Amino acid sequence: MTTAAQAPPKTSPQTPPQTLGFLLLENFTLISLASAIEPLRMANQLAGRELYRWYTLSMDGNAVRASDGLQVTPDASTTVPLALDTVIVCGGVAPHRSVQREHVGWLQAQARRSRRLGSVCTGSWALARAGLLDGYEASVHWECLAAMQEAFPKVSLTTRLFSIDRDRATSSGGTAPLDMMLTLIGRDHGRELSAGISEMFIYDRVRGEQDQQRVPLKHVLGTTQPRLLEIVALMEANLEEPISLDELADYVNVSRRQLERLFQKNLHCSPSRYYLKLRLTRARQLLKQTPMSIIEVASACGFVSTPHFSKCYREYFGIPPRDERLSSSAVELVPPVRLGEAAASMLQTAAAFEALPNEPVSSAMTALDQARGEPTYASVRLRT
């Protein structure tokens, strides 16, 4: 999938589908796998032809148990010579135990074939263990963040929901893979298709590369700083009417100077800066997720004037609140094409790109055939 910020490539019925292999690790999280595959299915449905083809894989082809106990029977083993464009590792619970030497060797072989690599949830552990994330920015579920930082110091780990760095696309868990895939689909085929998919999934806002995971502070600090955790909880509960630093210090029986030291030592910033970050982060959520005016957002986040709010917002996020609101506006879909044209397009594509001998049949075509009766089938015209 396209990973550089660029104009969508021209597409035609004769363009072969991009093929993705999802490598399932033991105890992978099912929600992350579904969040990554479902956007591909819907992209095919809305386009009316096979833009993407996918296979689920395991090392031996046997069923793999997800973290919720359900078992998924993969389409193929990794010994089947599939013509993959991208490999995505699906991780979950305890990746340090589920990643085996065989996984590492196979992933390194895929990298030697110049295939794009990615991961969801804790799958980036496998890529890092294979040495395939050295020098790359990467995302992982926050629960695994500290352990990965310790185990793989050459990887530039981030708390972002997902990271797209050259030919690597890594995502944290839950529904974050959906955001990553929508971003990649938008780069491949345009924002109209990405917006159409999010509408079908009743997904109000596609989160971007700069959106952060909400990492619980107690996970970062552990139980060693109960006073700091209490102060932050007070800050979070009082965003509309901020409490003064002197009052915060009094609440937990420390001096103003001790308060400053607590924040500098553990959070590497002043308490006032941290408080401002909380208020601006809340403001960004309100701008993107509600119809509240900028004045109302400023007031709800404790800013006494709109100009001061706009100045602080721009300094922190690099974009004024007004532009932030405009950037999150939904894109209207283009008029639909006739079903007959879309069906013919799909048949031409299927005929032109038949499976290789001994290659398993991708479920993408089955899903696309079943979608032909849906009213949204071929409702997005791709750029040609």
mmCIF file with all atom_site columns, all heavy atoms in Angstrom, residues 343-358:
data_model
loop_
_atom_site.group_PDB
_atom_site.id
_atom_site.type_symbol
_atom_site.label_atom_id
_atom_site.label_alt_id
_atom_site.label_comp_id
_atom_site.label_asym_id
_atom_site.label_entity_id
_atom_site.label_seq_id
_atom_site.pdbx_PDB_ins_code
_atom_site.Cartn_x
_atom_site.Cartn_y
_atom_site.Cartn_z
_atom_site.occupancy
_atom_site.B_iso_or_equiv
_atom_site.pdbx_formal_charge
_atom_site.auth_seq_id
_atom_site.auth_comp_id
_atom_site.auth_asym_id
_atom_site.auth_atom_id
_atom_site.pdbx_PDB_model_num
ATOM 1   N N   . ALA A 1 343 ? -19.985 -4.025  -12.430 1.00 0.00 ? 343 ALA A N   1
ATOM 2   C CA  . ALA A 1 343 ? -19.932 -5.477  -12.504 1.00 0.00 ? 343 ALA A CA  1
ATOM 3   C C   . ALA A 1 343 ? -18.990 -5.932  -13.616 1.00 0.00 ? 343 ALA A C   1
ATOM 4   O O   . ALA A 1 343 ? -18.206 -6.870  -13.450 1.00 0.00 ? 343 ALA A O   1
ATOM 5   C CB  . ALA A 1 343 ? -21.341 -6.030  -12.733 1.00 0.00 ? 343 ALA A CB  1
ATOM 6   N N   . ALA A 1 344 ? -19.076 -5.269  -14.770 1.00 0.00 ? 344 ALA A N   1
ATOM 7   C CA  . ALA A 1 344 ? -18.189 -5.613  -15.879 1.00 0.00 ? 344 ALA A CA  1
ATOM 8   C C   . ALA A 1 344 ? -16.741 -5.388  -15.494 1.00 0.00 ? 344 ALA A C   1
ATOM 9   O O   . ALA A 1 344 ? -15.852 -6.179  -15.830 1.00 0.00 ? 344 ALA A O   1
ATOM 10  C CB  . ALA A 1 344 ? -18.550 -4.780  -17.111 1.00 0.00 ? 344 ALA A CB  1
ATOM 11  N N   . SER A 1 345 ? -16.493 -4.289  -14.771 1.00 0.00 ? 345 SER A N   1
ATOM 12  C CA  . SER A 1 345 ? -15.133 -3.982  -14.322 1.00 0.00 ? 345 SER A CA  1
ATOM 13  C C   . SER A 1 345 ? -14.596 -5.086  -13.438 1.00 0.00 ? 345 SER A C   1
ATOM 14  O O   . SER A 1 345 ? -13.454 -5.523  -13.569 1.00 0.00 ? 345 SER A O   1
ATOM 15  C CB  . SER A 1 345 ? -15.138 -2.640  -13.568 1.00 0.00 ? 345 SER A CB  1
ATOM 16  O OG  . SER A 1 345 ? -13.924 -2.448  -12.895 1.00 0.00 ? 345 SER A OG  1
ATOM 17  N N   . MET A 1 346 ? -15.435 -5.551  -12.522 1.00 0.00 ? 346 MET A N   1
ATOM 18  C CA  . MET A 1 346 ? -15.009 -6.593  -11.604 1.00 0.00 ? 346 MET A CA  1
ATOM 19  C C   . MET A 1 346 ? -14.684 -7.879  -12.356 1.00 0.00 ? 346 MET A C   1
ATOM 20  O O   . MET A 1 346 ? -13.676 -8.542  -12.096 1.00 0.00 ? 346 MET A O   1
ATOM 21  C CB  . MET A 1 346 ? -16.093 -6.870  -10.565 1.00 0.00 ? 346 MET A CB  1
ATOM 22  C CG  . MET A 1 346 ? -15.673 -7.894  -9.504  1.00 0.00 ? 346 MET A CG  1
ATOM 23  S SD  . MET A 1 346 ? -17.049 -8.439  -8.494  1.00 0.00 ? 346 MET A SD  1
ATOM 24  C CE  . MET A 1 346 ? -17.854 -9.565  -9.636  1.00 0.00 ? 346 MET A CE  1
ATOM 25  N N   . LEU A 1 347 ? -15.542 -8.247  -13.316 1.00 0.00 ? 347 LEU A N   1
ATOM 26  C CA  . LEU A 1 347 ? -15.323 -9.473  -14.075 1.00 0.00 ? 347 LEU A CA  1
ATOM 27  C C   . LEU A 1 347 ? -14.041 -9.401  -14.894 1.00 0.00 ? 347 LEU A C   1
ATOM 28  O O   . LEU A 1 347 ? -13.301 -10.373 -15.009 1.00 0.00 ? 347 LEU A O   1
ATOM 29  C CB  . LEU A 1 347 ? -16.533 -9.741  -14.978 1.00 0.00 ? 347 LEU A CB  1
ATOM 30  C CG  . LEU A 1 347 ? -17.832 -10.095 -14.243 1.00 0.00 ? 347 LEU A CG  1
ATOM 31  C CD1 . LEU A 1 347 ? -18.980 -10.189 -15.227 1.00 0.00 ? 347 LEU A CD1 1
ATOM 32  C CD2 . LEU A 1 347 ? -17.679 -11.405 -13.469 1.00 0.00 ? 347 LEU A CD2 1
ATOM 33  N N   . GLN A 1 348 ? -13.764 -8.220  -15.481 1.00 0.00 ? 348 GLN A N   1
ATOM 34  C CA  . GLN A 1 348 ? -12.526 -8.046  -16.243 1.00 0.00 ? 348 GLN A CA  1
ATOM 35  C C   . GLN A 1 348 ? -11.318 -8.227  -15.350 1.00 0.00 ? 348 GLN A C   1
ATOM 36  O O   . GLN A 1 348 ? -10.343 -8.876  -15.721 1.00 0.00 ? 348 GLN A O   1
ATOM 37  C CB  . GLN A 1 348 ? -12.498 -6.658  -16.899 1.00 0.00 ? 348 GLN A CB  1
ATOM 38  C CG  . GLN A 1 348 ? -13.492 -6.503  -18.038 1.00 0.00 ? 348 GLN A CG  1
ATOM 39  C CD  . GLN A 1 348 ? -13.522 -5.079  -18.537 1.00 0.00 ? 348 GLN A CD  1
ATOM 40  O OE1 . GLN A 1 348 ? -12.725 -4.247  -18.111 1.00 0.00 ? 348 GLN A OE1 1
ATOM 41  N NE2 . GLN A 1 348 ? -14.440 -4.794  -19.438 1.00 0.00 ? 348 GLN A NE2 1
ATOM 42  N N   . THR A 1 349 ? -11.391 -7.632  -14.143 1.00 0.00 ? 349 THR A N   1
ATOM 43  C CA  . THR A 1 349 ? -10.274 -7.741  -13.211 1.00 0.00 ? 349 THR A CA  1
ATOM 44  C C   . THR A 1 349 ? -10.055 -9.187  -12.801 1.00 0.00 ? 349 THR A C   1
ATOM 45  O O   . THR A 1 349 ? -8.932  -9.681  -12.745 1.00 0.00 ? 349 THR A O   1
ATOM 46  C CB  . THR A 1 349 ? -10.541 -6.874  -11.964 1.00 0.00 ? 349 THR A CB  1
ATOM 47  O OG1 . THR A 1 349 ? -10.729 -5.533  -12.377 1.00 0.00 ? 349 THR A OG1 1
ATOM 48  C CG2 . THR A 1 349 ? -9.370  -6.945  -10.992 1.00 0.00 ? 349 THR A CG2 1
ATOM 49  N N   . ALA A 1 350 ? -11.164 -9.885  -12.481 1.00 0.00 ? 350 ALA A N   1
ATOM 50  C CA  . ALA A 1 350 ? -11.048 -11.274 -12.041 1.00 0.00 ? 350 ALA A CA  1
ATOM 51  C C   . ALA A 1 350 ? -10.446 -12.139 -13.130 1.00 0.00 ? 350 ALA A C   1
ATOM 52  O O   . ALA A 1 350 ? -9.633  -13.028 -12.868 1.00 0.00 ? 350 ALA A O   1
ATOM 53  C CB  . ALA A 1 350 ? -12.427 -11.803 -11.641 1.00 0.00 ? 350 ALA A CB  1
ATOM 54  N N   . ALA A 1 351 ? -10.845 -11.889 -14.380 1.00 0.00 ? 351 ALA A N   1
ATOM 55  C CA  . ALA A 1 351 ? -10.338 -12.696 -15.488 1.00 0.00 ? 351 ALA A CA  1
ATOM 56  C C   . ALA A 1 351 ? -8.858  -12.421 -15.745 1.00 0.00 ? 351 ALA A C   1
ATOM 57  O O   . ALA A 1 351 ? -8.095  -13.323 -16.088 1.00 0.00 ? 351 ALA A O   1
ATOM 58  C CB  . ALA A 1 351 ? -11.147 -12.410 -16.749 1.00 0.00 ? 351 ALA A CB  1
ATOM 59  N N   . ALA A 1 352 ? -8.480  -11.157 -15.586 1.00 0.00 ? 352 ALA A N   1
ATOM 60  C CA  . ALA A 1 352 ? -7.100  -10.770 -15.900 1.00 0.00 ? 352 ALA A CA  1
ATOM 61  C C   . ALA A 1 352 ? -6.110  -11.240 -14.849 1.00 0.00 ? 352 ALA A C   1
ATOM 62  O O   . ALA A 1 352 ? -4.942  -11.454 -15.126 1.00 0.00 ? 352 ALA A O   1
ATOM 63  C CB  . ALA A 1 352 ? -7.003  -9.253  -16.064 1.00 0.00 ? 352 ALA A CB  1
ATOM 64  N N   . PHE A 1 353 ? -6.574  -11.393 -13.595 1.00 0.00 ? 353 PHE A N   1
ATOM 65  C CA  . PHE A 1 353 ? -5.658  -11.711 -12.504 1.00 0.00 ? 353 PHE A CA  1
ATOM 66  C C   . PHE A 1 353 ? -6.136  -12.943 -11.756 1.00 0.00 ? 353 PHE A C   1
ATOM 67  O O   . PHE A 1 353 ? -6.552  -12.871 -10.613 1.00 0.00 ? 353 PHE A O   1
ATOM 68  C CB  . PHE A 1 353 ? -5.526  -10.510 -11.559 1.00 0.00 ? 353 PHE A CB  1
ATOM 69  C CG  . PHE A 1 353 ? -5.109  -9.267  -12.258 1.00 0.00 ? 353 PHE A CG  1
ATOM 70  C CD1 . PHE A 1 353 ? -6.031  -8.283  -12.552 1.00 0.00 ? 353 PHE A CD1 1
ATOM 71  C CD2 . PHE A 1 353 ? -3.803  -9.093  -12.663 1.00 0.00 ? 353 PHE A CD2 1
ATOM 72  C CE1 . PHE A 1 353 ? -5.647  -7.139  -13.225 1.00 0.00 ? 353 PHE A CE1 1
ATOM 73  C CE2 . PHE A 1 353 ? -3.414  -7.960  -13.328 1.00 0.00 ? 353 PHE A CE2 1
ATOM 74  C CZ  . PHE A 1 353 ? -4.333  -6.977  -13.617 1.00 0.00 ? 353 PHE A CZ  1
ATOM 75  N N   . GLU A 1 354 ? -6.117  -14.055 -12.424 1.00 0.00 ? 354 GLU A N   1
ATOM 76  C CA  . GLU A 1 354 ? -6.492  -15.304 -11.799 1.00 0.00 ? 354 GLU A CA  1
ATOM 77  C C   . GLU A 1 354 ? -5.400  -15.737 -10.826 1.00 0.00 ? 354 GLU A C   1
ATOM 78  O O   . GLU A 1 354 ? -4.235  -15.364 -10.952 1.00 0.00 ? 354 GLU A O   1
ATOM 79  C CB  . GLU A 1 354 ? -6.701  -16.371 -12.865 1.00 0.00 ? 354 GLU A CB  1
ATOM 80  C CG  . GLU A 1 354 ? -7.887  -16.087 -13.790 1.00 0.00 ? 354 GLU A CG  1
ATOM 81  C CD  . GLU A 1 354 ? -8.049  -17.161 -14.844 1.00 0.00 ? 354 GLU A CD  1
ATOM 82  O OE1 . GLU A 1 354 ? -7.163  -18.032 -14.926 1.00 0.00 ? 354 GLU A OE1 1
ATOM 83  O OE2 . GLU A 1 354 ? -9.051  -17.108 -15.572 1.00 0.00 ? 354 GLU A OE2 1
ATOM 84  N N   . ALA A 1 355 ? -5.814  -16.552 -9.856  1.00 0.00 ? 355 ALA A N   1
ATOM 85  C CA  . ALA A 1 355 ? -4.859  -17.023 -8.859  1.00 0.00 ? 355 ALA A CA  1
ATOM 86  C C   . ALA A 1 355 ? -3.779  -17.882 -9.516  1.00 0.00 ? 355 ALA A C   1
ATOM 87  O O   . ALA A 1 355 ? -4.008  -18.563 -10.505 1.00 0.00 ? 355 ALA A O   1
ATOM 88  C CB  . ALA A 1 355 ? -5.588  -17.837 -7.791  1.00 0.00 ? 355 ALA A CB  1
ATOM 89  N N   . LEU A 1 356 ? -2.588  -17.828 -8.964  1.00 0.00 ? 356 LEU A N   1
ATOM 90  C CA  . LEU A 1 356 ? -1.504  -18.666 -9.442  1.00 0.00 ? 356 LEU A CA  1
ATOM 91  C C   . LEU A 1 356 ? -1.803  -20.122 -9.114  1.00 0.00 ? 356 LEU A C   1
ATOM 92  O O   . LEU A 1 356 ? -2.602  -20.411 -8.224  1.00 0.00 ? 356 LEU A O   1
ATOM 93  C CB  . LEU A 1 356 ? -0.190  -18.238 -8.766  1.00 0.00 ? 356 LEU A CB  1
ATOM 94  C CG  . LEU A 1 356 ? 0.296   -16.816 -9.078  1.00 0.00 ? 356 LEU A CG  1
ATOM 95  C CD1 . LEU A 1 356 ? 1.498   -16.498 -8.204  1.00 0.00 ? 356 LEU A CD1 1
ATOM 96  C CD2 . LEU A 1 356 ? 0.631   -16.672 -10.555 1.00 0.00 ? 356 LEU A CD2 1
ATOM 97  N N   . PRO A 1 357 ? -1.187  -21.073 -9.803  1.00 0.00 ? 357 PRO A N   1
ATOM 98  C CA  . PRO A 1 357 ? -1.387  -22.477 -9.467  1.00 0.00 ? 357 PRO A CA  1
ATOM 99  C C   . PRO A 1 357 ? -1.064  -22.731 -7.996  1.00 0.00 ? 357 PRO A C   1
ATOM 100 O O   . PRO A 1 357 ? -0.061  -22.242 -7.473  1.00 0.00 ? 357 PRO A O   1
ATOM 101 C CB  . PRO A 1 357 ? -0.396  -23.195 -10.399 1.00 0.00 ? 357 PRO A CB  1
ATOM 102 C CG  . PRO A 1 357 ? -0.215  -22.259 -11.552 1.00 0.00 ? 357 PRO A CG  1
ATOM 103 C CD  . PRO A 1 357 ? -0.307  -20.880 -10.966 1.00 0.00 ? 357 PRO A CD  1
ATOM 104 N N   . ASN A 1 358 ? -1.920  -23.496 -7.317  1.00 0.00 ? 358 ASN A N   1
ATOM 105 C CA  . ASN A 1 358 ? -1.770  -23.845 -5.905  1.00 0.00 ? 358 ASN A CA  1
ATOM 106 C C   . ASN A 1 358 ? -1.946  -22.655 -4.969  1.00 0.00 ? 358 ASN A C   1
ATOM 107 O O   . ASN A 1 358 ? -1.702  -22.774 -3.767  1.00 0.00 ? 358 ASN A O   1
ATOM 108 C CB  . ASN A 1 358 ? -0.401  -24.504 -5.641  1.00 0.00 ? 358 ASN A CB  1
ATOM 109 C CG  . ASN A 1 358 ? -0.183  -25.749 -6.476  1.00 0.00 ? 358 ASN A CG  1
ATOM 110 O OD1 . ASN A 1 358 ? -1.106  -26.544 -6.645  1.00 0.00 ? 358 ASN A OD1 1
ATOM 111 N ND2 . ASN A 1 358 ? 1.027   -25.912 -7.003  1.00 0.00 ? 358 ASN A ND2 1
#
